[in-house]
Amino acid sequence: MMSEAILVSTLSSSEIPQELRDEKKEDDSWSSLPEELLSLMLSRVYFSDYPRFRTTCVSWQRASPPLELTPHYPKYQSPCLLLHGLRRAIEFFNPMYNITYKTDISELSHITVYSFNHGWLLMGSGDGHHTFFLDPFTKVKIEIPNIPSNITFSRICFTSSPTSLDCMVIGFTIILGDLRVGIIKRGEEKWTIEDFRSSQFWLRFHLSDCNPILHNGWYYCLDTAGNLGVLKPESVRDSWHIYPQRLPWKLRDTLRQCFIVESNEDILSVFVYCGGDRRVCVYKLDFSKMVWERIEDLGNRTLYISNTTSFSINSTIRGMGNKIFFPKFNGKDGVFYSLASKRYHTYDDDAYENPCEIKELKEFVWATWVLPEFALVSGEDPKW
């Protein structure tokens, strides 16, 4: 019934077969649904079905703004986990509904995803020097100049949409204890390479697996011991600082994973420890002291954590707040951590102190959380 309504709405009256015209008269109730009900229905529509929703009829179109006027569509949706690899189909996992969608995006085959932001994936192929942007929902692609052949960055991220004039891509790596950074701005044809030495020369900073984040013009990153590094890339002198963190001695040697995420005006870190219970701890950065302070409750915030990209979302859906979603699965079902219960949960309402107790546990280390931000791009693919 829905597909026929969509078909009817896109044809002129002379093109509509008589039997469908009669059925359309019977289905006028679709176009007379209250706006409040349409909004509720729209809040349950997965983003790939959004264009179909808008073409159903005029009243449904009025209830859903066009994509170019929706810079953060859909506001009520959670991020989705992009699953890809050499031996698997491209899939999106929606944690709100615990559903996995298969999709055909040939551009995601045999590539490495570096990061996601502002609706775009930053990716590399081949030997890691060929780099480009891809909007995974519209498949618009933007090539950027290759990374120099004598440099390999361990982390790469970017500041804004690659269609923005102020977009900058920045790569990070550690060389003999110093931070080496590569920068390329939109419109430039080659990378600028800079080395940064911290005044704390005695400290060894080993970048963790998670990407740095940009906050108020400064990049914040973690090392494998949970220490904090802060960089202002366009200010060479005295712009790279390391802030040692004093974690409890019982946990100091058991840190297995660490992530950093911007949350409203806060910077949060999520530390996952090894050992018997695989403890998960959340910290908030005290900017006055530049130290991590433990927090026990996220309120209505939900964290979506991965090495490449992490999000903090103020949840309006009951039951979604105060949780952390990792790229972990129990078979085909997602796994999340609740700060309220201090346990890992599956969608079967089973709770585990240690995720290793989950029989079919799988972790996709290089999966990426994505959040669609549709924008119409006309004509050919935009240029860098």
Side-chain angles (χ1 to χ4, degrees):
M1 186 72 67
M2 179 71 71
S3 61
E4 291 177 354
I6 294 173
L7 176 62
V8 170
S9 68
T10 57
L11 298 175
S12 65
S13 58
S14 61
E15 295 175 301
I16 301 175
Q18 184 61 48
E19 59 270 20
L20 284 183
R21 290 189 207 179
D22 296 338
E23 187 170 328
K24 185 175 185 295
K25 293 178 181 179
E26 297 175 4
D27 289 345
D28 280 343
S29 56
W30 283 108
S31 61
S32 59
L33 292 175
E35 186 173 341
E36 293 80 4
L37 181 56
L38 289 176
S39 297
L40 181 62
M41 293 167 59
L42 185 61
S43 70
R44 301 296 190 269
V45 171
Y46 189 59
F47 55 77
S48 62
D49 294 325
Y50 189 79
R52 301 185 185 94
F53 185 99
R54 296 197 76 242
T55 56
T56 301
C57 62
V58 174
S59 63
W60 288 37
Q61 188 178 64
R62 284 198 300 263
S64 52
L67 298 181
E68 66 270 27
L69 300 181
T70 317
H72 296 285
Y73 172 79
K75 296 178 181 178
Y76 39 78
Q77 290 276 10
S78 69
C80 293
L81 189 66
L82 172 61
L83 302 166
H84 65 96
L86 294 177
R87 298 182 180 180
R88 62 175 297 112
I90 309 301
E91 297 175 327
F92 288 102
F93 170 72
N94 188 327
M96 186 178 295
Y97 305 121
N98 192 36
I99 296 175
T100 299
Y101 301 82
K102 289 187 177 181
T103 185
D104 179 21
I105 307 178
S106 59
E107 293 85 352
L108 290 175
S109 300
H110 302 88
I111 55 87
T112 299
V113 173
Y114 295 130
S115 60
F116 176 90
N117 207 352
H118 304 285
W120 293 84
L121 290 165
L122 178 61
M123 308 189 300
S125 61
D127 57 5
H129 301 290
H130 174 215
T131 310
F132 59 94
F133 288 98
L134 177 74
D135 183 329
F137 309 105
T138 64
K139 299 185 181 180
V140 174
K141 187 177 181 180
I142 301 177
E143 297 278 355
I144 69 174
N146 287 350
I147 297 171
S149 59
N150 61 335
I151 295 177
T152 300
F153 295 121
S154 54
R155 306 290 171 264
I156 307 179
C157 46
F158 56 102
T159 58
S160 56
S161 168
T163 59
S164 301
L165 295 177
D166 60 352
C167 180
M168 179 173 69
V169 180
I170 179 168
F172 301 81
T173 193
I174 298 293
I175 303 293
L176 299 176
D178 294 334
L179 179 67
R180 176 163 293 178
V181 171
I183 298 173
I184 188 167
K185 301 176 183 178
R186 190 181 181 203
E188 294 181 341
E189 297 182 355
K190 65 178 183 179
W191 291 71
T192 299
I193 309 299
E194 299 283 357
D195 288 334
F196 295 83
R197 175 166 293 182
S198 170
S199 57
Q200 303 99 321
F201 61 87
W202 61 91
L203 292 174
R204 290 297 179 219
F205 194 90
H206 302 283
L207 283 170
S208 69
D209 287 336
C210 71
N211 261 329
I213 63 168
L214 179 64
H215 181 80
N216 292 337
W218 291 78
Y219 272 97
Y220 294 76
C221 56
L222 295 173
D223 77 351
T224 54
N227 297 314
L228 179 67
V230 181
L231 170 73
K232 193 159 190 176
E234 294 184 313
S235 176
V236 176
R237 293 188 177 181
D238 301 323
S239 64
W240 169 239
H241 303 280
I242 300 173
Y243 297 94
Q245 303 297 309
R246 297 182 179 179
L247 300 177
W249 68 269
K250 290 184 179 180
L251 302 177
R252 196 172 303 166
D253 296 328
T254 62
L255 183 59
R256 178 175 175 266
Q257 294 174 303
C258 53
F259 307 91
I260 190 168
V261 58
E262 188 177 28
S263 179
N264 300 329
E265 293 301 315
D266 298 326
I267 293 180
L268 305 181
S269 61
V270 178
F271 291 173
V272 181
Y273 297 94
C274 57
D277 58 358
R278 292 287 177 91
R279 182 180 308 188
V280 176
C281 297
V282 180
Y283 300 87
K284 182 173 74 171
L285 182 62
D286 182 339
F287 288 98
S288 64
K289 302 177 182 178
M290 296 303 288
V291 296
W292 296 118
E293 299 288 348
R294 177 86 177 269
I295 60 175
E296 302 287 349
D297 193 292
L298 291 170
N300 69 335
R301 289 180 289 188
T302 307
L303 303 185
Y304 301 87
I305 300 297
S306 70
N307 285 327
T308 49
T309 303
S310 297
F311 290 101
S312 171
I313 302 295
N314 292 324
S315 178
T316 59
I317 306 299
R318 185 177 180 180
M320 288 291 287
N322 206 28
K323 293 179 173 59
I324 304 173
F325 285 85
F326 295 97
K328 299 178 187 288
F329 289 84
N330 175 32
K332 295 183 178 180
D333 295 331
V335 174
F336 59 89
Y337 185 86
S338 168
L339 266 71
S341 67
K342 293 182 170 54
R343 283 174 169 77
Y344 290 88
H345 293 259
T346 66
Y347 283 81
D348 294 329
D349 290 330
D350 294 327
Y352 304 87
E353 289 189 3
N354 189 332
C356 294
E357 299 172 2
I358 303 174
K359 293 182 179 179
E360 297 184 60
L361 179 69
K362 296 179 182 178
E363 181 173 8
F364 295 91
V365 177
W366 296 113
T368 304
W369 291 104
V370 299
L371 189 62
E373 295 185 14
F374 290 102
L376 297 183
V377 179
S378 59
E380 298 179 356
D381 289 353
K383 305 298 182 183
W384 178 257

